[in-house]
Amino acid sequence: MNTDFQPLDQQSDFAIDGMEENAEVNSSGPGVDIVRLLLRNKYLLVLGLATGLLLGQAAYMKLGPIFSANTKIQVSQKNPVPIKDGEIQTFGELTAHIDVIKSPRIVGEAVKEAKLNQLSTLAGEKDPTQDIIDSLKVKRISGNDRAFLNILTLTYENPNAKDARLVTQAVVDAYKRYLHEVREENTEDIIQQLKQAEKQIATELKLKKSEYQKFRENAPLYWESTPGSEAAVAGSTNVHQERVKAIDNERRLNLLKLTELKSKIDSLKAAIASGESKETLELLAQQFLMGQTRGQAANGNTSEGQIASPGTSQVDRARTALETHLMPLLIQKNRLERDFQKNHPDLDAVNRSIETIINLYRRQGLDISADNLESGEFQVAKTKDVDFVNVYLKSMEQQLKELENRELELTKIFDQETELAKKVGDFQVVDQSYNEEIAQLKSQRDNIFKQLLVEKVSQGNSGYTLTQLAPVKDELVIKRQLKFLMAGAGAGLGLILAFSYFREMRDTTMKSVDEIRNQLHLPILGEVPSFAESDAVVDDSEFAPALWYYYRPASREAESFRSLRTSLLLKTDRSGAKVLQMTSAEPGDGKTTSISNLALAIAQTGRKVLIIDADLRRPTIHKLFGLANSIGLGDVLNGEIDAQTAIRETRVTHLSILTAGMLPENPSEMLMSRGFSELVKQLRNEYDYILIDTPPLVVVSDPSVIASIVDGVLLVVRIDKNRRGVIRKVQQIIQTNGIKVTGLLANGVQSGKFGDYDYGSGPGYSDYYIVPPQVQTKQADAPAKTKLTH
């Protein structure tokens, strides 16, 4: 029992179960199941395969066998003598051996030399060279195009074994001659080309050197190396460019001094204009002088060096001495004499310093005194009345003029030298160009000389040589026969598959449970496998062999009806449905067999079950249970007998049957009568379940009439029998008449597709369906008298 089943409510069970009122009819068929197609046509496929193999073998015998001649050759490059230690060639002038061997030149030469066009297999060919190329195969098994050593295999196929060998050997000989000819032609041609190139470069080099010599004679450059050498360009000097660098450096130094001097003059004049005291002005001048002295000391200019400079005038030397050494001491002495009396220690120290400096300059030829400082005739004796600040200011103004004049002169010289440096730079560019061209020509000459030397030394000892490693052998081509067989087998299988596929596409029968479900949109309550009546073990009960649930309760067929019973009881117990009708799409779908086995399964649970055979056209229930059909439903509806008298008990406990009885002329009207509905209403209270067997839906209207008074309808659909067009018609009838379909029963499910499981395969499953010895009964002496449709 499927304990996971969830019963539907009453509305879904009996308001066209599983269908919506406006549900669209699914008219599209499913695609072809390839696996199912192969299984159904497996014998036909085997026949097609065998036929194809026979046809392939016949074609091979008709066209004849092919022989393959093959040989192995070694193509090796001669190693030329190296010119220098370690120098060696890595490859030669010929590399694509495979393409060359299969070229018309080689094959055409072979045809011509060996007279291959006179062979029996090639005599009638319009172009024997191309025919040989099409069948010739060359494969490299060792080496590569640029290697010294290559091992190749040559294979040629021909219907005649002897012709195949002759063609293969002729191609090998033609390629061997070709390698020798190419080596001689290439070597001689290369040597001539190298000699011509060497002569041309030598002429160009001589002409270029002559032009360069004339250029050097007129160029304003100085060379430190010989013409044409690699250092010639770097060794040429541009004198004007060096002067421009020196003048530019002097200009920057002069500009710094000029800027500094202007700043001092402006500061000192501003202090005088603001009315500063004489002591403040002397202190400011002293600071400027001390700063100037420190700056000169930092630059390495000592007082002695400045004075002893040979290019300095007497007045300049005196001014320099005054500014850098003597002036600060004189200013300090003047201030001390105003503040202190004579013989003061600081004043004595300053006087000693002044005397020391004067003696120092006197020894160098410069006599300095302070008698007339403003005129430049320095004398130190009288210094009290001298205006040192004014003297210093005039000295700085004189220096400012000198620096400005120097700036003008330096600028003028800088512009002149710059213009000359540019002109000389153009000559340097030309000089560099000459040197590069000469160096390039020399390099080309050296390379050509080396190549020419290599070619001369290696002449006759280069190129490729061919060695045949194995004689030409022939063998039968087995692959040709296999190709014919495979082609025939493929063609046979393809034709059978195409035929089966198109036949399957034209087959519109329902082929699976999922297809039925998708087509009708109704729940599947059960799936019954295909079974044969003759396999059942019958007894003396006169029950038909189709009642598998009775004869083989442990079989897979009986189990399928138990599953149907479980699904049905779960749905009906909740809704209270008791009266169920079973019908099918067409005759022969197995509805009568199914309703009988289902009734047996329900009766086994202890529920009272009544089967009513309402097929008043072709009744069958009485044949299955071995009952006479003398009285039944027809007689009850005509009022000739009551229902209790017409109902018959069976040997199965809790199971009763009301056969069809007399067959009326108007079965539809009789079933539409009030008497039938009253009969069903009467029997509803006496039985737990009433199962009514009715004719197929698409044949007569009887099922639609009965469906209006029952609680639900069970629809039987047979796989591989009912077509999609019939199912669509059934669907339309259900929708048009508002039939309450409880569910579907899929009949005729193939082995392996029963509920998506094969209950007969796999370890342990078969034990569930072995009938115990105590349950089996002996086979009846006589089989059933009537052939039944299940």
Side-chain angles (χ1 to χ4, degrees):
M1 179 180 295
N2 186 4
T3 57
D4 295 335
F5 179 83
Q6 297 296 330
L8 304 176
D9 54 18
Q10 185 174 3
Q11 181 178 1
S12 62
D13 285 344
F14 302 104
I16 312 180
D17 262 352
M19 294 180 59
E20 299 178 1
E21 294 182 3
N22 298 325
E24 296 182 359
V25 177
N26 185 6
S27 60
S28 62
V32 176
D33 188 345
I34 301 298
V35 177
R36 184 176 182 274
L37 175 66
L38 296 177
L39 293 176
R40 288 184 61 182
N41 299 277
K42 56 186 177 182
Y43 297 110
L44 194 59
L45 290 173
V46 173
L47 178 61
L49 177 61
T51 303
L53 290 175
L54 292 176
L55 292 175
Q57 181 64 22
Y60 172 74
M61 297 300 294
K62 177 68 176 177
L63 296 176
I66 293 292
F67 293 90
S68 174
N70 62 83
T71 185
K72 186 182 296 183
I73 63 174
Q74 172 184 298
V75 182
S76 57
Q77 180 193 353
K78 292 184 178 180
N79 189 8
V81 178
I83 304 303
K84 297 179 181 179
D85 294 338
E87 182 180 355
I88 190 171
Q89 280 187 307
T90 58
F91 58 89
E93 72 282 352
L94 186 63
T95 56
H97 300 288
I98 295 176
D99 295 335
V100 175
I101 293 175
K102 295 187 66 175
S103 65
R105 175 175 178 178
I106 303 301
V107 179
E109 182 70 18
V111 172
K112 180 180 178 181
E113 293 294 330
K115 299 180 181 180
L116 300 179
N117 56 340
Q118 298 180 5
L119 298 177
S120 59
T121 54
L122 297 174
E125 295 293 335
K126 183 178 180 181
D127 188 358
T129 300
Q130 187 61 43
D131 184 75
I132 294 175
I133 292 175
D134 294 338
S135 301
L136 181 64
K137 297 179 180 178
V138 183
K139 182 179 180 182
R140 179 185 287 109
I141 61 177
S142 178
N144 54 65
D145 278 342
R146 307 178 75 84
F148 279 101
L149 184 63
N150 285 270
I151 299 179
L152 309 172
T153 58
L154 277 72
T155 305
Y156 175 71
E157 295 181 354
N158 192 285
N160 188 291
K162 181 180 179 181
D163 291 354
R165 294 195 302 271
L166 291 175
V167 170
T168 304
Q169 187 62 50
V171 171
V172 172
D173 295 340
Y175 190 55
K176 187 173 184 179
R177 291 191 299 270
Y178 169 79
L179 292 177
H180 177 75
E181 294 172 359
V182 169
R183 181 177 67 247
E184 295 298 328
E185 293 175 1
N186 290 347
T187 303
E188 186 63 30
D189 184 59
I190 291 174
I191 291 176
Q192 294 299 327
Q193 292 180 4
L194 290 174
K195 287 182 178 180
Q196 184 177 359
E198 182 186 22
K199 183 177 180 181
Q200 182 179 357
I201 291 178
T203 303
E204 293 180 1
L205 182 60
K206 183 177 180 181
L207 179 62
K208 188 62 64 177
K209 286 184 176 180
S210 177
E211 292 178 359
Y212 184 46
Q213 185 64 33
K214 293 179 180 180
F215 168 77
R216 286 180 61 124
E217 293 175 357
N218 301 321
L221 295 175
Y222 170 72
W223 286 271
E224 299 176 359
S225 58
T226 59
S229 64
E230 296 180 357
V233 177
S236 62
T237 303
N238 190 337
V239 178
H240 299 284
Q241 187 175 5
E242 299 296 330
R243 293 175 182 175
V244 168
K245 294 180 180 179
I247 294 171
D248 185 62
N249 186 44
E250 290 293 329
R251 288 180 63 191
R252 286 188 283 106
L253 295 176
N254 189 73
L255 182 61
L256 291 175
K257 294 178 180 180
L258 186 63
T259 303
E260 182 181 2
L261 193 57
K262 284 183 178 181
S263 176
K264 292 180 179 180
I265 292 173
D266 293 340
S267 300
L268 192 56
K269 286 183 177 181
I272 295 173
S274 61
E276 295 292 340
S277 63
K278 186 176 181 180
E279 291 79 2
T280 302
L281 295 176
E282 289 177 353
L283 181 60
L284 180 60
Q286 185 179 11
Q287 291 177 353
F288 286 164
L289 289 170
M290 293 177 65
Q292 180 178 351
T293 303
R294 286 194 298 269
Q296 292 175 351
N299 293 330
N301 299 326
T302 61
S303 57
E304 294 187 45
Q306 292 172 348
I307 298 172
S309 177
T312 306
S313 64
Q314 185 73 8
V315 177
D316 291 336
R317 294 168 65 189
R319 183 183 296 112
T320 300
L322 175 65
E323 290 179 354
T324 58
H325 298 89
L326 190 57
M327 183 66 75
L329 294 174
L330 293 175
I331 294 174
Q332 185 178 4
K333 177 183 177 182
N334 191 25
R335 187 175 62 253
L336 290 175
E337 288 179 348
R338 288 196 306 266
D339 297 339
F340 304 100
Q341 296 179 357
K342 293 183 178 181
N343 300 325
H344 190 276
D346 292 340
L347 184 58
D348 293 338
V350 170
N351 287 328
R352 285 194 300 270
S353 297
I354 292 173
E355 187 66 25
T356 301
I357 291 175
I358 290 173
N359 292 332
L360 176 62
Y361 281 98
R362 185 177 291 114
R363 287 196 300 270
Q364 295 183 10
L366 181 61
D367 188 12
I368 300 176
S369 63
D371 293 339
N372 192 353
L373 290 174
E374 294 183 3
S375 63
E377 297 177 358
F378 303 104
Q379 294 181 2
V380 184
K382 301 177 181 179
T383 59
K384 295 183 179 180
D385 298 331
V386 178
D387 188 353
F388 293 103
V389 175
N390 188 36
V391 171
Y392 180 55
L393 181 59
K394 288 182 178 182
S395 176
M396 287 193 298
E397 288 176 348
Q398 183 64 28
Q399 289 184 31
L400 181 61
K401 291 179 182 181
E402 293 177 359
L403 291 176
E404 288 175 349
N405 292 333
R406 181 178 176 81
E407 175 66 21
L408 293 176
E409 292 296 329
L410 289 174
T411 301
K412 182 178 178 180
I413 298 173
F414 179 82
D415 293 339
Q416 294 175 355
E417 293 297 330
T418 300
E419 186 67 23
L420 293 174
K422 290 181 180 179
K423 293 180 179 180
V424 175
D426 296 337
F427 284 95
Q428 283 187 309
V429 172
V430 177
D431 179 73
Q432 181 179 1
S433 177
Y434 272 113
N435 280 276
E436 290 177 353
E437 291 176 2
I438 292 173
Q440 185 177 8
L441 289 173
K442 286 183 177 180
S443 177
Q444 292 177 1
R445 182 189 61 185
D446 294 341
N447 292 333
I448 291 176
F449 178 77
K450 292 179 181 179
Q451 293 179 17
L452 183 60
L453 184 59
V454 169
E455 293 297 332
K456 288 182 178 180
V457 173
S458 63
Q459 189 175 17
N461 190 33
S462 63
Y464 287 85
T465 59
L466 187 149
T467 304
Q468 191 167 352
L469 301 178
V472 180
K473 296 181 180 180
D474 63 87
E475 59 183 5
L476 182 65
V477 180
I478 303 299
K479 292 183 179 179
R480 177 179 172 83
Q481 184 178 10
L482 294 178
K483 289 180 180 179
F484 276 95
L485 294 176
M486 292 178 63
L493 288 176
L495 291 175
I496 296 300
L497 284 174
F499 171 76
S500 303
Y501 180 82
F502 286 113
R503 187 179 64 175
E504 188 77 8
M505 291 294 293
R506 293 174 61 86
D507 185 9
T508 60
T509 57
M510 310 298 288
K511 299 178 180 61
S512 65
V513 176
D514 290 336
E515 187 175 351
I516 296 173
R517 183 185 295 109
N518 296 333
Q519 187 73 21
L520 289 172
H521 303 288
L522 292 171
I524 304 294
L525 297 182
E527 303 174 13
V528 179
S530 299
F531 59 89
E533 298 176 7
S534 59
D535 295 338
V537 181
V538 299
D539 56 12
D540 57 357
S541 63
E542 297 186 356
F543 281 9
L547 298 178
W548 275 63
Y549 195 88
Y550 175 77
Y551 288 111
R552 298 184 62 178
S555 65
R556 73 173 67 180
E557 292 79 6
E559 184 62 28
S560 66
F561 286 107
R562 287 191 183 94
S563 300
L564 173 62
R565 177 191 67 188
T566 300
S567 301
L568 183 64
L569 294 182
L570 287 174
K571 290 174 70 69
T572 57
D573 286 348
R574 180 180 178 185
S575 62
K578 301 177 63 176
V579 181
L580 301 175
Q581 171 190 353
M582 182 169 287
T583 184
S584 63
E586 298 176 293
D589 291 341
K591 61 178 180 60
T592 302
T593 302
S594 299
I595 196 172
S596 300
N597 282 279
L598 176 62
L600 291 172
I602 296 176
Q604 192 183 38
T605 64
R607 293 174 172 82
K608 293 183 62 177
V609 182
L610 173 64
I611 301 177
I612 299 178
D613 191 352
D615 189 349
L616 300 181
R617 301 174 188 271
R618 295 177 61 183
T620 315
I621 291 293
H622 65 283
K623 299 178 182 180
L624 292 177
F625 288 92
L627 300 174
N629 194 28
S630 56
I631 58 175
L633 178 62
D635 302 286
V636 174
L637 295 179
N638 283 332
E640 297 177 2
I641 192 174
D642 58 34
Q644 296 300 329
T645 303
I647 294 174
R648 301 182 185 182
E649 300 291 335
T650 66
R651 63 185 300 173
V652 178
T653 307
H654 305 304
L655 177 61
S656 302
I657 297 177
L658 177 58
T659 60
M662 180 191 67
L663 301 181
E665 297 180 356
N666 55 345
S668 297
E669 287 76 7
M670 184 173 289
L671 294 174
M672 291 181 64
S673 64
R674 185 175 180 181
F676 182 70
S677 61
E678 291 293 337
L679 175 63
V680 173
K681 184 177 180 181
Q682 174 189 346
L683 297 176
R684 180 189 292 270
N685 298 326
E686 300 178 9
Y687 294 91
D688 296 322
Y689 281 94
I690 300 175
L691 304 180
I692 303 176
D693 183 21
T694 62
L697 273 174
V698 298
V699 178
V700 293
S701 60
D702 299 358
S704 300
V705 173
I706 298 175
S708 61
I709 63 174
V710 299
D711 298 331
V713 176
L714 299 176
L715 179 62
V716 178
V717 179
R718 192 173 188 86
I719 295 177
D720 290 330
K721 179 180 179 297
N722 295 139
R723 299 182 180 276
R724 287 190 288 272
V726 175
I727 297 301
R728 288 196 295 270
K729 188 174 182 180
V730 170
Q731 195 174 20
Q732 293 173 356
I733 293 173
I734 292 174
Q735 291 179 342
T736 302
N737 298 287
I739 297 176
K740 301 180 289 293
V741 180
T742 302
L744 300 177
L745 173 62
N747 196 10
V749 178
Q750 297 295 327
S751 177
K753 293 184 177 295
F754 178 61
D756 294 331
Y757 296 94
D758 186 355
Y759 284 87
S761 61
Y765 282 107
S766 59
D767 296 341
Y768 286 100
Y769 306 110
I770 298 177
V771 181
Q774 63 270 21
V775 179
Q776 297 182 1
T777 59
K778 67 178 181 178
Q779 184 173 357
D781 295 335
K785 300 178 181 179
T786 307
K787 184 178 180 181
L788 302 178
T789 302
H790 60 82

